[in-house]
Amino acid sequence: MTKPVLPLKEVVIRFAGDSGDGMQLTGDRFTMDTASLGNDLSTLPNYPAEIRAPQGTLPGVSSFQLHFADHLIQTPGDAPDVLVAMNPAAMKANIKDLPRGATIIVDADEFTTRNLTKVGYATNPLEDGSLESYDVHAVPLTTLTVAALSGLPLSRKDAERSKNMFALGLLSWLYHRPTEATENFLKAKFSKKPDILEANLIAYRTGWNFGETTEGFAVSYEIAPAKMAPGLYRNITGNIALAHGLIAASQLSGLKLFLGSYPITPASDILHELSKHKKFGVITFQAEDEIAAVGSALGASYGGALGITSTSGPGVALKAEMIGLAVMLELPLIVIDVQRGGPSTGLPTKTEQADLLQAMFGRNGESPVAVIAPSTPSDCFTIALEAVRISTTYRVPVFILSDGYIANGSEPWKIPDIADLPDLHVEFAKTQEGFLPYLRDPQTLARPWAIPGTKGIEHRIGGVEKADKTGEISYDPANHDLMVRARAAKVAGIQVPNLEVDDPSDDAEVLLLGWGSTYGPIASAVNALRENGNKVAQAHLKYINPFPKNLGEVLRKYPKVIVPEMNLGQLAMLLRAEFLKDVIGYNVVRGLPFTTSEIVEATLEVLNA
């Protein structure tokens, strides 16, 4: 008999297992298949903080959460509707996030006395009644996978590695995901390893067939495509969107793209992606350390290229002196900071927003830089274009403050029409009589970008203070004051769009103001609050230095302004200092993004106070 199919509007699935169980690959493939069906989606990968935690232990659990729907969504979901747990550690680490009635699919073979003891289970939760409020499916994934692959010349250990594909096949059947794309992916990935390819294909198909034939799953589910603007879409992560945005900016500006970088989690994917695109004139240099990386990027800018460096918070600290040099030389430089849990290397895979003040002030002396922040993974493409516009137009370093949530999360991205992209063409200084390297443009206050070796525009360069206009070494106190103020005025005068406020009633008492990756949770919370009759407004800052010119007016309009941040109140501190507005900080630092319900509760407390 054909099993009934139930329609759903949305679902949140979390795959969890040991770091060697392939949960990131499983989640990524399920996401790609979901994207191809036209669902709106948002993902949250969660990696172990330890590089090689002991197998089957809580520190070694890796997970991948996917929220997909037939309508617009903003977050990867507050709590999973379905948890796929490959071992007891994965279940124990994640079950606290599950609502009552959630579905749990576990590999029953892994619930051995040894594995249970590793994570502190005194009894088997599959047998002691502690899971009776959940819909539990104890499936012998390992046994079924090994049995399906018994005809292949593989050891039992190698056969067991394919059980994630069994789980993927089962979930693909359960939610009617297409199989062709994943099979083609496996054929490409393992084309030179025919036995491994066949094992993964068999396991994947066996998982699908198990769902179709077992009595354990009485129904399957369908989620219709979301209504989205017409166009060509692809699924994209924040790091990949940044890389593609930088390549597009390089082409639009006519500048060679040079990335000087030192590998660091969670920014390394930018280096990996850019290194694949040499056909666009992209040059990537994996330096020996962070200082060499930023030095090479600044040298590239001096030579007339688009100099970029990517890192995370610890790397920014090491790059500080060279970024200060870029401020003094007044050359373009893009610094990408993919923020992570800190201040340490103990949480390299977790997300945080705690580098804002470091980006603003973390250099010697008065060294102002532009600071901008993407709000979603797909927004990283646009932010990359904006960073290049600002940096090349005003000859200033620009910080892009991404974070681990944006960098690794994914969502559908509508590929833009090339004709709609901005003109980023750059004019270099030309041969001329009486060239003055620090003669400023009256509109932007930028000095000329003079390429070394151009006849007739030879000039002095270096880290000692320059004389106004001539660029000669100067120790004159009045000149130093003049140049410091000129550099500050240049950054303060950067043209950025006004802040847009979403306030349908135009008389909301509370404004929710965010920056960076808080955009999705804030937007979802505002929608939930409005559905219950609460009048709330929302706005999101992409430009932090300088602030939008109308920001003070916006802050004055609303009696109460809540600023959710994954730090202890860094933007709130800047707003209080700049505008003397007593904003209300809502601050959580857990290495995890906000949930919608958290922001709803915090807002209701303010509304009811």
Side-chain angles (χ1 to χ4, degrees):
M1 292 179 61
T2 303
K3 294 182 179 180
V5 179
L6 299 182
L8 294 176
K9 295 186 69 64
E10 60 186 316
V11 69
V12 179
I13 299 173
R14 183 181 296 177
F15 297 92
D18 197 75
S19 56
D21 284 336
M23 292 296 94
Q24 302 304 321
L25 174 63
T26 304
D28 184 65
R29 288 314 315 164
F30 195 89
T31 299
M32 292 300 182
D33 293 337
T34 295
S36 71
L37 283 180
N39 297 121
D40 196 19
L41 61 89
S42 179
T43 68
L44 177 62
N46 192 5
Y47 305 91
E50 297 185 20
I51 295 174
R52 289 197 180 275
Q55 189 173 6
T57 63
L58 292 173
V61 174
S62 173
S63 68
F64 189 105
Q65 183 163 306
L66 166 67
H67 181 194
F68 60 104
D70 66 358
H71 55 275
L72 178 67
I73 56 175
Q74 306 282 6
T75 74
D78 282 9
D81 303 302
V82 179
L83 172 65
V84 179
M86 304 299 280
N87 59 21
M91 192 177 78
K92 186 166 188 177
N94 291 281
I95 196 167
K96 62 183 181 299
D97 297 332
L98 268 63
R100 300 295 181 184
T103 297
I104 302 175
I105 300 172
V106 300
D107 182 2
D109 292 327
E110 290 294 317
F111 281 67
T112 62
T113 301
R114 182 170 181 268
N115 288 343
L116 292 168
T117 303
K118 277 185 183 180
V119 294
Y121 277 125
T123 58
N124 189 340
L126 302 181
E127 301 170 352
D128 63 11
S130 60
L131 301 178
E132 61 184 12
S133 59
Y134 303 100
D135 179 20
V136 180
H137 297 266
V139 180
L141 292 177
T142 302
T143 299
L144 292 171
T145 302
V146 170
L149 305 182
S150 60
L152 298 180
L154 296 174
S155 66
R156 179 181 175 87
K157 185 176 181 180
D158 286 338
E160 288 180 3
R161 289 189 178 130
S162 297
K163 66 180 181 180
N164 65 321
M165 287 296 108
F166 185 104
L168 177 59
L170 173 58
L171 269 292
S172 297
W173 169 82
L174 190 59
Y175 291 96
H176 288 237
R177 303 297 93 182
T179 61
E180 183 178 358
T182 289
E183 292 196 1
N184 289 337
F185 167 82
L186 293 172
K187 290 172 184 175
K189 182 176 179 65
F190 299 112
S191 59
K192 296 181 181 179
K193 300 178 179 178
D195 289 343
I196 301 299
L197 169 60
E198 189 173 2
N200 279 281
L201 288 174
I202 291 174
Y204 181 56
R205 293 165 183 165
T206 303
W208 176 282
N209 293 333
F210 177 80
E212 183 70 30
T213 57
T214 183
E215 295 180 1
F217 294 91
V219 298
S220 60
Y221 305 93
E222 274 190 340
I223 296 163
K227 293 181 180 178
M228 305 176 78
L232 180 63
Y233 287 81
R234 62 156 289 179
N235 189 49
I236 200 164
T237 64
N239 276 347
I240 303 304
L242 267 178
H244 289 186
L246 293 170
I247 295 170
S250 169
Q251 297 294 303
L252 293 165
S253 64
L255 302 174
K256 275 191 173 294
L257 191 162
F258 178 93
L259 176 77
S261 186
Y262 180 77
I264 184 170
T265 303
S268 298
D269 282 343
I270 299 169
L271 170 62
H272 299 159
E273 181 63 22
L274 286 176
S275 68
K276 300 174 184 177
H277 297 287
K278 295 180 177 63
K279 65 181 179 181
F280 292 112
V282 174
I283 301 170
T284 53
F285 170 54
Q286 181 173 319
E288 64 269 29
D289 56 40
E290 296 281 7
I291 300 171
V294 67
S296 65
L298 182 55
S301 290
Y302 174 56
L306 182 58
I308 303 163
T309 189
S310 57
T311 188
S312 190
V316 173
L318 293 168
K319 296 177 190 289
E321 187 173 13
M322 194 65 69
I323 297 169
L325 177 61
V327 172
M328 175 165 279
L329 300 184
E330 300 190 47
L331 286 171
L333 178 68
I334 310 294
V335 181
I336 302 170
D337 177 5
V338 185
Q339 300 165 96
R340 72 192 207 187
S344 71
T345 57
L347 285 167
T349 64
K350 311 305 178 184
T351 193
E352 204 164 278
Q353 287 183 295
D355 294 347
L356 176 55
L357 296 182
Q358 181 178 223
M360 288 286 293
F361 307 117
R363 291 163 299 284
N364 171 250
E366 296 286 346
S367 302
V369 299
V371 180
I372 59 178
S375 56
T376 67
S378 61
D379 186 45
C380 287
F381 180 88
T382 305
I383 282 292
L385 298 178
E386 268 294 270
V388 172
R389 175 190 73 85
I390 293 170
S391 190
T392 57
T393 301
Y394 296 89
R395 316 281 196 264
V396 294
V398 177
F399 266 83
I400 298 176
L401 289 183
S402 179
D403 62 46
Y405 174 29
I406 289 177
N408 295 316
S410 64
E411 66 180 1
W413 171 54
K414 184 182 178 184
I415 299 174
D417 190 322
I418 294 176
D420 295 332
L421 298 179
D423 180 9
L424 299 176
H425 181 70
V426 173
E427 289 287 344
F428 294 111
K430 296 181 173 62
T431 300
Q432 57 187 274
E433 292 281 336
F435 174 67
L436 296 173
Y438 281 84
L439 181 65
R440 300 184 182 280
D441 181 287
Q443 299 297 320
T444 64
L445 299 183
R447 78 174 187 89
W449 195 353
I451 305 304
T454 305
K455 186 177 180 180
I457 60 171
E458 296 86 353
H459 60 287
R460 189 184 299 272
I461 206 78
V464 183
E465 183 64 279
K466 314 297 185 300
D468 182 35
K469 298 183 179 63
T470 66
E472 296 173 355
I473 293 176
S474 173
Y475 296 97
D476 178 59
N479 177 77
H480 178 58
D481 185 271
L482 175 68
M483 295 296 275
V484 167
R485 292 180 186 276
R487 290 189 287 263
K490 181 172 61 169
V491 172
I494 292 171
Q495 294 297 307
V496 302
N498 275 342
L499 180 65
E500 295 182 2
V501 181
D502 175 16
D503 184 4
S505 65
D506 200 37
D507 64 348
E509 182 184 358
V510 171
L511 170 70
L512 279 161
L513 178 64
W515 71 278
S517 64
T518 60
Y519 173 79
I522 289 174
S524 294
V526 167
N527 288 339
L529 288 161
R530 287 175 181 169
E531 287 175 0
N532 289 320
N534 297 289
K535 290 184 178 181
V536 290
Q538 73 173 105
H540 206 75
L541 283 169
K542 293 185 182 181
Y543 302 88
I544 302 175
N545 197 36
F547 284 129
K549 287 184 171 53
N550 69 330
L551 177 55
E553 177 186 342
V554 170
L555 293 175
R556 287 189 294 272
K557 178 180 178 180
Y558 294 94
K560 299 175 182 178
V561 178
I562 304 173
V563 182
E565 297 183 80
M566 293 185 291
N567 58 46
L568 296 184
Q570 297 189 15
L571 176 61
M573 180 188 298
L574 296 176
L575 295 175
R576 292 185 188 115
E578 181 79 14
F579 302 103
L580 302 181
K581 175 75 173 184
D582 190 17
V583 299
I584 303 165
Y586 176 53
N587 308 104
V588 178
V589 188
R590 300 171 305 175
L592 293 169
F594 284 108
T595 63
T596 300
S597 58
E598 287 173 334
I599 297 179
V600 168
E601 289 177 17
T603 306
L604 288 174
E605 284 185 16
V606 172
L607 283 168
N608 297 329

